[in-house]
């Protein structure tokens, strides 16, 4: 039996390689020539392959040096990535992909004349080392021994590989998410068969030259308008490197009247649970419950059905289960009762039949009319008058 210390362990047996194997197994599983679970593994590539920096990161080398210090974390992964997944690239990403594919051989190189933390230039592509990476990879002042820093070079290639992968300039043909977007475009007879209808639906011309020229002209005008206003705008400056700097906006103090108004509004808000408010509204508008038809086609027949419906609507509005609002010993709020009501009465067709009665009731509230009718649609915190609901209210 050969003692492990007397021979170099194969790839995959060292701690660093095991980390790479584990990460590679999470990123890709080749099954019948395809990649399974690309979405989850894509997130792992973005989160664990490289430490991303903001696009406008200053050229101080700080985050890049920190990234280069994590070489041991990615070294095993680098050896396996291009061997496990077949990548291809377009013209923009071809050089970076080639550098990525050469990394395993470069990292396996050993020499008695220099430490393993440097690599000879003949094993790498120096053209992929750009911008602030040059200082870390080639040294400052630049080295003269035809060597460069291994950790900085690997991190540089990984950072650019990740960037091109996100842009799909490097892609995995066998993946459904990370494949070449152009490969999904219709071509030949398939495109000719649907071209006219697609262009009509999208409102696009067959020849894009005129459309692109129009957009280029609009962009040029916008740039000229911005440039004309910069001279008089003291809050914006452009340095010698072309970077735009905007003066930070100071917060405006709230006037005493606004603070007083906020306190008055908070004091006027009713101290009631959401479910209690729903029950009260259902009491104002009994036609809402009358429109609740069961799956069997019968009308409401359960005692205190409005309480059960209010509890279910509250749970849905708060995005919680029925467990927190169920109450043992109260028939209308028993857990099995809420589940039955949800399944039997809370359906889209019942909502459609009941909502016009609520809207019609709201039109008689003077305060709602003072706010524009109260027919408001809210999406992601943005509110707007819902004209479609206004039409339903008028019909009701």
């Amino acid at each position: 039996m050969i003692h492990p210390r007397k021979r170099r362990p194969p790839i995959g047996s060292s701690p660093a390689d095991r980390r790479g194997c584990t990460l590679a197994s999470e990123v890709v599983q080749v099954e019948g020539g395809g990649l399974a679970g690309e979405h989850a593994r894509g997130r792992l590539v973005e989160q664990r392959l490289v430490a991303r920096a903001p696009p406008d990161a200053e050229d101080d080398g700080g985050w890049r040096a920190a990234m280069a210090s994590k070489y041991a974390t990615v070294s095993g992964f680098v050896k396996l990535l291009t061997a496990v997944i077949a990548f291809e690239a377009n013209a923009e990403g071809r050089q970076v992909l080639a550098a990525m594919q050469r990394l395993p051989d470069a990292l396996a190189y050993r020499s008695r004349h220099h430490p393993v933390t440097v690599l000879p230039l003949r094993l790498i592509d120096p053209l992929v080392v750009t911008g602030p990476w040059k200082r870390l990879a080639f040294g400052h002042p630049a080295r003269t021994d035809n060597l460069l820093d291994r950790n900085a070079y690997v991190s540089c290639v990984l950072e650019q590989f990740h960037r091109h992968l996100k842009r799909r300039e490097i892609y995995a043909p066998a993946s459904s998410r990370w494949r070449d977007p152009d490969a999904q475009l219709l071509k030949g007879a398939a495109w000719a068969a649907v071209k006219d209808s697609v262009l009509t639906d999208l409102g696009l011309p067959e020849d894009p030259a005129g459309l692109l020229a129009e957009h280029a002209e609009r962009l040029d005008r916008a740039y000229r308008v911005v440039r004309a206003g910069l001279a008089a705008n003291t809050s914006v400056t452009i340095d010698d490197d072309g970077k735009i700097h905007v003066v930070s906006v100071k917060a405006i103090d709230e006037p005493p009247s606004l603070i007083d108004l906020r306190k008055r509004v908070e004091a006027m808000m009713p101290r009631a649970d959401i479910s209690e408010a729903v029950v009260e509204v259902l009491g104002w508008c009994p036609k809402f419950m009358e429109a609740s038809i069961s799956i069997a086609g019968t009308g409401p027949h359960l005692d205190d059905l409005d309480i059960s419906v209010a509890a279910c609507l509250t749970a849905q509005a708060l995005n919680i289960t029925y467990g927190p609002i169920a109450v043992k010993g109260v028939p209308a709020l028993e857990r099995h009762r809420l589940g039955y009501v949800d399944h039997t009465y809370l359906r889209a067709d019942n909502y459609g039949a009941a909502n016009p009665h609520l809207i019609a009731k709201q039109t008689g509230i003077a305060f709602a009319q003072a706010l524009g009718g109260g027919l408001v649609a809210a999406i992601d915190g943005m509110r707007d008058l819902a004209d479609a609901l206004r039409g339903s209210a008028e019909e009701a």
Side-chain angles (χ1 to χ4, degrees):
M1 178 178 180
I2 300 178
H3 195 278
R5 295 183 179 178
K6 295 183 180 181
R7 64 188 180 99
R8 185 180 185 276
I11 292 178
S13 60
S14 69
D17 288 342
R18 282 197 297 271
R19 286 193 297 269
C21 292
T22 301
L23 184 55
S25 66
E26 293 174 342
V27 173
V28 61
Q29 295 174 356
V30 180
E31 298 176 354
L35 303 182
E38 296 85 353
H39 291 276
R41 284 180 289 278
R43 287 192 295 270
L44 284 170
V45 169
E46 293 189 9
Q47 296 171 6
R48 298 177 61 182
L49 177 60
V50 294
R52 291 180 293 174
D56 57 347
E58 291 295 332
D59 182 10
D60 57 5
W63 68 266
R64 294 178 177 85
M67 180 177 171
S69 67
K70 303 297 182 181
Y71 168 79
T73 304
V74 299
S75 60
F77 180 70
V78 168
K79 301 172 185 176
L80 295 173
L81 181 60
T82 55
V84 174
I85 306 176
F87 289 101
E88 295 181 9
N90 58 21
E92 288 78 8
R94 193 168 295 127
Q95 187 177 31
V96 173
L97 177 59
M100 186 73 182
Q101 292 171 335
R102 293 177 60 183
L103 277 182
D105 292 338
L107 298 180
Y109 174 80
R110 296 293 183 272
S111 174
R112 293 178 296 178
H113 304 292
H114 52 75
V116 295
T117 56
V118 295
L119 295 174
L121 296 182
R122 58 184 175 83
L123 296 179
I124 59 95
D125 183 359
L127 295 180
V128 301
V129 184
T130 59
W133 282 112
K134 291 182 178 180
R135 176 187 296 267
L136 293 174
F138 297 115
H140 185 73
R143 305 176 65 119
T144 58
D145 53 2
N146 292 327
L147 299 173
L148 85 166
D149 185 87
R150 176 199 62 185
N151 298 1
Y153 178 74
V154 171
S155 300
C156 171
V157 175
L158 280 175
E159 190 260 340
Q160 294 196 57
F161 179 84
H162 174 249
R163 184 175 302 165
H164 286 290
L165 185 66
K166 288 186 64 179
R167 297 174 180 174
R168 302 302 190 273
E169 295 165 351
I170 295 177
Y171 49 87
S175 170
S176 62
R177 178 179 180 182
W178 301 100
R179 63 182 174 183
D180 180 15
D182 292 343
Q184 305 176 49
L185 298 178
L186 297 177
K187 300 178 181 178
W191 167 242
V194 299
K195 178 179 64 175
D196 294 338
S197 60
V198 170
L199 293 178
T200 300
D201 292 341
L202 297 178
L204 296 175
E206 182 174 357
D207 184 3
L211 180 64
L212 294 177
E214 178 183 350
H215 285 293
E217 183 180 356
R218 291 175 57 187
L219 182 61
D220 180 71
R221 289 200 304 267
Y223 276 133
R224 293 179 184 276
V225 170
V226 173
R227 186 183 66 178
L230 288 178
N233 191 345
T234 58
S235 300
V236 181
T237 57
I238 302 178
D239 59 22
D240 296 336
D241 296 330
K243 293 184 178 180
I244 298 178
H245 301 273
V246 181
V247 177
S248 59
V249 179
K250 296 183 179 180
I252 301 176
D253 295 334
E254 295 182 344
S257 59
L258 178 59
I259 297 176
D260 179 66
L261 176 61
R262 182 181 296 112
K263 292 180 179 180
R264 290 173 178 269
V265 172
E266 291 177 354
M268 294 170 61
M269 295 298 293
R271 300 296 185 264
D273 292 336
I274 296 178
S275 57
E276 295 176 356
V278 175
V279 172
E280 185 174 356
V281 171
L282 295 181
W284 296 345
C285 187
K287 291 184 178 181
F288 183 92
M289 293 304 305
E290 294 174 3
S292 298
I293 306 300
S294 68
I295 296 178
T298 61
H301 60 277
L302 297 176
D303 295 334
D304 296 327
L305 180 60
D306 57 336
I307 296 178
S308 301
V309 169
C312 293
L313 293 177
T314 300
Q316 294 177 6
L318 299 179
N319 196 25
I320 59 176
T321 63
Y322 293 141
I325 61 176
V327 179
K328 289 185 178 181
V330 180
L333 296 178
E334 290 281 1
R335 179 64 181 82
H336 64 86
R337 165 75 171 261
L338 298 179
Y340 172 79
V341 170
D342 183 12
H343 176 72
T344 306
Y345 293 99
L346 302 185
R347 307 190 311 276
D349 51 347
N350 280 352
Y351 290 147
N355 276 343
H357 300 297
L358 291 178
I359 296 172
K361 185 69 176 179
Q362 183 173 263
T363 57
I365 301 176
F367 184 69
Q369 296 303 314
L371 297 178
L375 304 179
V376 177
I379 302 177
D380 294 335
M382 300 177 61
R383 294 176 174 82
D384 195 4
L385 290 179
D387 293 333
L389 294 181
R390 186 187 302 278
S392 299
E394 293 174 352
E395 294 175 1

